Amino acid sequence: MIEQQAPAPPSSAQPRDRLRDSDSDSYSGSGSGGGGGGGDDSGSSLRLPVRQGTGRFLVLAGVFVCAACGLVYELELVALAAYLMGDSVTQASVVLSVMVFAMGIGSLAAKRLRRHAAAGFGAIEAALALVGGCSAMALYAVFAWTGDWGGPWAYGPPVLLVVFSLAVGLLIGAEVPLLMELIQRIRRQDAGGAVADLFAADYVGALVGGLAFPFLLLPFLGQLTGTLITGAVNTVVGGALVLGLFRQDLTRRARRLLIVANLCVLTVLASATVLVDDFERAARHAMYGSDVRVALRTDVQEVVLTGDRDGRSLDLFLDGRLRVSSRDELRYHEALVHPAMTGPHERVLVLGGGDGLTAREVLRHPGVRRVDVVELDAGVLRLARHDPALSALNGHALDDPRVRVTTEDAFDWLRGAPPAAYDVVVSDLPHPEITASTKLYSREFYGLTRRVLAPGGRLVVHAGQVTSLPETYWTVESTLRSAGFRTVPYGTGGRPAGLVTGPARTPADTTRALRDRGFVLAARTDPELRLDPSGPRPRTLTDNSLAAGARAAERTRVPGLPASTLIHPRYAR
């Protein structure tokens, strides 16, 4: 049985009456036009400069903005870590799991600050703006200046990634209990309703931040500037909310400290924003040397072209990975193209190869009538056509009337390609260890490729390093066989490429000095690994070296590897 409550005295109101009275947006006990008297009988004597309803709306608006900023920090760490260290699945898992764990710890730790909720929230927002806003620049700086030191320094970027994930997560987690306390001080309501309001504003803000990052901040401001401006917005909103709405809850000393702290944070973020271009140039100089010819960010990736001055080689980096080096690109492209051109080769399809170097080797063969190049990045194609050094290296192959260039994802393009349309398909695509490329090394992808091959047609695939990454290499070979191909694996020596040269992606990458590239020649029937006797004579390749490369590759065979599929990729490290 529930005992009947005694009637409330005239000077107080029942909770139900409080909720009803709140609709008038007036501050109870104040007869001076909402100036904020102290008539909150639920234990709060907070005086506000605005009406209760307006104050509550401002707090929820602050929750909205802070949530958007917090998600931008998370996405920025994921995106930058994937670019710097590769394997976006692993980096996203590390950042998000560590951050969610830290948010829980932050929420528990914030319980001790509830008595000083306004001051605590102001301090946390200033710290979050500083840490989150500067995280991208700090992570990039460690990667650029210590990436080639080796030893313990090779672990600097991943360790710093975890540290920033922890710090940002702790600060974000501490926001919610303090905001709950502040919103309850404005007007007491049942806990369920307060939580619902708070999380609704939080989740909607997260949605806006999540959409703003890829569609607004990255395209128009870039990672570094976008994150710094996000930190500045975070500082202004957090500081304005506390110092404007809850200033009566702060001592004079606390107000001064918060003002100074926010001004210092804004000064740091503004200074970094002004200097961000100089910082990027210095970091690029540290990673690539002083002879950077071109550095641009396309819709797909970062493209850096260096060298071709004072006897230095011309090097093309895509997202920090060395893709082409003029010192030994001939060895790679001759080994990739010429074995596949033995037989009919009037119609050739090149998947990838936006640098034009694969097309150059294809066009050396007499009898080639048409070459279709399918490249995702239009920026790389423009560079291959218009940069004097790179276009000279590829022999202006992309301007040959027999070459037709399509800017599209190779997988999507193959789905609409006519069957039996090509005698030769050359797959010159990014490494399978890169998460975004795993679908281009899947059974489904090779099934589509098999469909566009004419009877007797041949496919050649660049499959990564034979010796340093044998499981990846032989997984590609196993996947080709699962798609109905007969295969001949082979390798060739050369300068390290891809994930080994250039900015390191793992600690092992900084210490390896391996010189191996692996290819797989495939056809519906057993392909013959040899050079076309009627074709051009390669400068770095012979039938004997091909046979030696096949024997060397066979010695690294890893049996029993399953095929990689879209649903179950097998390449991510």
Side-chain angles (χ1 to χ4, degrees):
M1 295 291 293
I2 299 176
E3 296 183 2
Q4 185 173 358
Q5 298 293 320
S11 60
S12 65
Q14 292 294 336
R16 186 183 304 272
D17 294 331
R18 287 182 180 278
L19 293 176
R20 186 184 305 117
D21 293 343
S22 69
D23 294 335
S24 65
D25 288 337
S26 62
Y27 202 81
S28 61
S30 174
S32 57
D40 188 348
D41 296 319
S42 58
S44 173
S45 58
L46 184 64
R47 298 175 61 89
L48 296 177
V50 296
R51 300 170 66 182
Q52 279 188 346
T54 304
R56 191 166 174 275
F57 170 79
L58 291 175
V59 171
L60 293 177
V63 172
F64 171 88
V65 174
C66 292
C69 294
L71 196 66
V72 168
Y73 301 144
E74 293 181 34
L75 295 175
E76 165 265 320
L77 285 174
V78 170
L80 189 59
Y83 162 60
L84 298 180
M85 291 170 272
D87 191 358
S88 59
V89 172
T90 298
Q91 308 310 331
S93 300
V94 168
V95 170
L96 296 180
S97 58
V98 170
M99 194 168 289
V100 170
F101 164 77
M103 287 168 65
I105 302 300
S107 294
L108 290 175
K111 291 168 65 176
R112 296 178 176 271
L113 298 175
R114 290 178 62 195
R115 291 182 59 188
H116 309 285
F121 180 75
I124 284 170
E125 289 308 298
L128 179 59
L130 182 64
V131 173
C134 295
S135 58
M137 186 171 281
L139 188 60
Y140 194 40
V142 170
F143 177 80
W145 277 279
T146 69
D148 59 350
W149 289 7
W153 290 101
Y155 296 89
V159 169
L160 192 62
L161 175 67
V162 172
V163 169
F164 274 120
S165 300
L166 277 171
V168 172
L170 285 169
L171 295 168
I172 291 176
E175 290 176 330
V176 175
L178 300 181
L179 286 166
M180 177 67 74
E181 181 69 21
L182 292 175
I183 203 170
Q184 288 287 65
R185 288 187 186 182
I186 294 176
R187 186 186 69 203
R188 289 288 175 183
Q189 66 181 114
D190 64 285
V195 169
D197 292 341
L198 197 66
F199 282 132
D202 185 79
Y203 294 153
V204 174
L207 171 66
V208 172
L211 295 176
F213 181 73
F215 297 115
L216 180 64
L217 297 179
L218 275 184
F220 296 102
L221 299 175
Q223 279 189 321
L224 300 185
T225 303
T227 310
L228 291 167
I229 290 179
T230 301
V233 171
N234 200 165
T235 306
V236 171
V237 171
L241 184 65
V242 173
L243 295 170
L245 193 60
F246 297 100
R247 62 175 179 267
Q248 297 297 329
D249 207 30
L250 302 172
T251 64
R252 181 175 298 179
R253 182 170 181 268
R255 287 198 296 268
R256 288 176 178 173
L257 287 175
L258 278 178
I259 291 172
V260 170
N262 280 278
L263 288 176
C264 288
V265 171
L266 283 174
T267 300
V268 170
L269 295 175
S271 300
T273 303
V274 171
L275 298 173
V276 72
D277 290 337
D278 293 333
F279 171 83
E280 286 194 65
R281 280 191 293 269
R284 198 176 294 123
H285 181 280
M287 288 192 292
Y288 302 111
S290 59
D291 54 351
V292 175
R293 293 173 52 87
V294 178
L296 56 94
R297 179 81 197 181
T298 70
D299 294 335
V300 178
Q301 59 200 338
E302 183 186 60
V303 179
V304 176
L305 191 63
T306 69
D308 196 43
R309 298 189 185 101
D310 301 324
R312 295 195 58 176
S313 65
L314 182 70
D315 293 337
L316 175 64
F317 295 87
L318 303 180
D319 269 349
R321 300 170 177 91
L322 179 64
R323 183 64 177 166
V324 170
S325 177
S326 62
R327 275 184 286 188
D328 69 343
E329 62 81 17
L330 190 63
R331 183 190 301 271
Y332 167 80
H333 288 100
E334 286 189 341
L336 175 68
V337 172
H338 291 280
M341 299 295 285
T342 302
H345 52 254
E346 289 186 356
R347 302 162 298 170
V348 180
L349 171 64
V350 177
L351 301 174
D355 50 46
L357 298 170
T358 299
R360 177 199 66 194
E361 291 302 312
V362 169
L363 293 172
R364 289 178 61 192
H365 286 261
V368 173
R369 295 173 51 193
R370 174 169 173 169
V371 181
D372 287 341
V373 177
V374 180
E375 166 63 43
L376 178 62
D377 195 341
V380 172
L381 291 169
R382 285 193 297 269
L383 195 64
R385 279 179 164 143
H386 302 301
D387 180 80
L390 186 55
S391 60
L393 186 64
N394 64 39
H396 303 278
L398 298 182
D399 295 324
D400 190 288
R402 293 170 291 176
V403 176
R404 301 184 184 183
V405 177
T406 303
T407 304
E408 192 174 347
D409 176 78
F411 195 103
D412 295 339
W413 187 89
L414 282 173
R415 297 179 72 174
Y422 298 98
D423 302 305
V424 178
V425 176
V426 182
S427 179
D428 185 17
L429 295 165
H431 287 255
E433 299 94 346
I434 303 170
T435 306
S437 300
T438 54
K439 72 174 183 179
L440 305 179
Y441 291 84
S442 65
R443 177 192 294 162
E444 293 84 352
F445 180 79
Y446 292 135
L448 293 172
T449 306
R450 189 174 187 269
R451 185 177 65 87
V452 303
L453 276 175
R458 296 160 307 285
L459 163 68
V460 64
V461 176
H462 169 231
Q465 282 95 28
V466 183
T467 305
S468 56
L469 298 171
E471 288 194 4
T472 296
Y473 176 79
W474 288 105
T475 298
V476 175
E477 192 269 347
S478 174
T479 304
L480 281 163
R481 285 189 288 106
S482 74
F485 284 105
R486 303 289 183 87
T487 62
V488 177
Y490 65 102
T492 183
R495 188 179 175 210
L499 294 174
V500 177
T501 300
R505 291 309 189 271
T506 67
D509 292 335
T510 63
T511 56
R512 285 202 297 258
L514 302 172
R515 294 173 175 269
D516 64 302
R517 293 187 177 97
F519 309 91
V520 181
L521 182 64
R524 290 187 177 89
T525 59
D526 290 324
E528 185 177 359
L529 186 64
R530 63 183 180 87
L531 298 175
D532 185 356
S534 62
R537 178 173 297 181
R539 286 178 279 174
T540 65
L541 200 63
T542 65
D543 285 325
N544 289 336
S545 66
L546 275 176
R551 291 192 297 269
E554 190 62 35
R555 288 194 292 269
T556 69
R557 180 179 288 275
V558 181
L561 292 173
S564 183
T565 67
L566 291 177
I567 302 301
H568 197 165
R570 305 280 183 173
Y571 300 112
R573 294 191 291 171

